[in-house]
Amino acid sequence: MEKENFSPKEILSMTLDNGVKKTKLKTRTQFFLGLLAGMYIAMGGAASTIINSLGKGFNPQITRLLVGLTFTIGIVAVVVGGAELFTGNILMFGAALDKRSKLSTIIYNWLKIFIYNFIGALIFVCVVYYSNILSDSTKELFVNIFNAKTSQGYFVLFVKGIGCNILVCLSVWLSTASKEITAKIFASAFPVAIFVICGFEHCVANMFYLPIAMMISGNFDMLALVHNLIPVTLGNIAGGMILITMYYYAYKD
């Protein structure tokens, strides 16, 4: 009988193998899978914000839970459907620790996927904005989210980025433990729901949240965009590196 579940040590081995394989993907493949990942995360951002708006005046704890669960469609689509997500790809750092890939090669992959994710997120920004599906209250909420995300200090954003990507990379790690689709869905969804509920910061999600708010308000404050994305991205990198480093030294022979 074929084995369905893998041990943490086996997950590490598979993660290291995947890290090497990802550096060897064709640019065309990286481009389209990167676009899809950006779009998938944006879909979660759009749906969860609409849920948040609809829940105004309802029990705030339940609404927050529903927002977190709705957002998880993005990571589920990435993990089950297959896509290249910048934050998940930070696990590739394990291949550098294992001296199977050069760190410079991995960083180059991160840079490309970051750009492709951004393009994918912007595509879905246009879909949402020009389809005119947003109510006035949802538009107002997007603008409020923009103000909240861009008014925090660099250090706070950096630390929130760390917390976020420990959970996102944990999501990818846990989903690798099983071949069964239902198990992958649950394993990948819950850590991401937790990061949303906690209010941590995800750079690819912000590639959707910030531009859509800028289009709604007509205020294209690029400095505010950069103010958020730089520390959040660096925090996401640090968070993912922390997780894979711990697993690497725990389970590597």
Side-chain angles (χ1 to χ4, degrees):
M1 184 175 178
E2 187 178 6
K3 188 175 183 179
E4 291 187 357
N5 300 310
F6 302 101
S7 68
K9 192 170 183 178
E10 290 172 317
I11 297 172
L12 176 64
S13 178
M14 295 164 68
T15 300
L16 298 180
D17 288 342
N18 286 335
V20 175
K21 290 176 183 177
K22 285 177 180 290
T23 64
K24 298 178 179 179
L25 288 176
K26 295 179 180 179
T27 298
R28 179 188 64 194
T29 302
Q30 290 179 326
F31 176 71
F32 286 111
L33 293 183
L35 291 187
L36 286 172
M39 293 173 66
Y40 291 157
I41 298 301
M43 289 175 190
S48 61
T49 306
I50 291 171
I51 291 292
N52 198 359
S53 177
L54 291 173
K56 188 176 182 180
F58 188 59
N59 185 300
Q61 288 82 15
I62 294 177
T63 298
R64 191 158 189 165
L65 177 61
L66 292 174
V67 167
L69 291 174
T70 304
F71 184 86
T72 63
I73 180 58
I75 193 66
V76 169
V78 167
V79 168
V80 178
E84 289 290 301
L85 180 64
F86 169 78
T87 46
N89 278 13
I90 304 303
L91 288 171
M92 294 171 65
F93 181 65
L97 289 175
D98 206 43
K99 296 181 171 57
R100 296 174 59 181
S101 291
K102 293 181 179 179
L103 182 58
S104 59
T105 302
I106 291 172
I107 291 174
Y108 181 54
N109 171 278
W110 291 346
L111 178 61
K112 288 194 293 183
I113 298 303
F114 184 90
I115 294 170
Y116 301 154
N117 286 174
F118 209 155
I119 296 171
L122 291 176
I123 289 172
F124 206 71
V125 164
C126 293
V127 170
V128 171
Y129 182 80
Y130 289 110
S131 62
N132 199 30
I133 63 171
L134 301 178
S135 66
D136 289 341
S137 61
T138 306
K139 291 177 180 178
E140 181 181 359
L141 181 56
F142 271 120
V143 174
N144 291 340
I145 290 172
F146 177 93
N147 293 333
K149 286 180 176 292
T150 57
S151 61
Q152 300 172 74
Y154 285 108
F155 181 72
V156 171
L157 290 169
F158 175 74
V159 176
K160 285 186 173 182
I162 292 175
C164 169
N165 215 33
I166 288 175
L167 286 162
V168 171
C169 286
L170 177 61
S171 170
V172 176
W173 178 273
L174 293 177
S175 71
T176 307
S178 176
K179 293 181 180 179
E180 206 275 317
I181 297 297
T182 303
K184 282 186 176 290
I185 290 172
F186 278 97
S188 62
F190 281 113
V192 169
I194 290 170
F195 106 63
V196 176
I197 292 168
C198 289
F200 291 139
E201 293 279 332
H202 188 268
C203 65
V204 180
N206 290 353
M207 293 172 186
F208 169 76
Y209 285 122
L210 303 182
I212 188 74
M214 291 164 72
M215 291 187 73
I216 290 168
S217 67
N219 178 23
F220 293 89
D221 189 346
M222 301 307 295
L223 289 177
L225 179 76
V226 172
H227 171 86
N228 176 275
L229 283 183
I230 289 179
V232 170
T233 300
L234 293 175
N236 289 165
I237 292 171
M241 290 172 70
I242 288 169
L243 186 79
I244 189 58
T245 298
M246 289 183 175
Y247 273 126
Y248 180 82
Y249 286 110
Y251 289 111
K252 185 63 179 177
D253 294 329

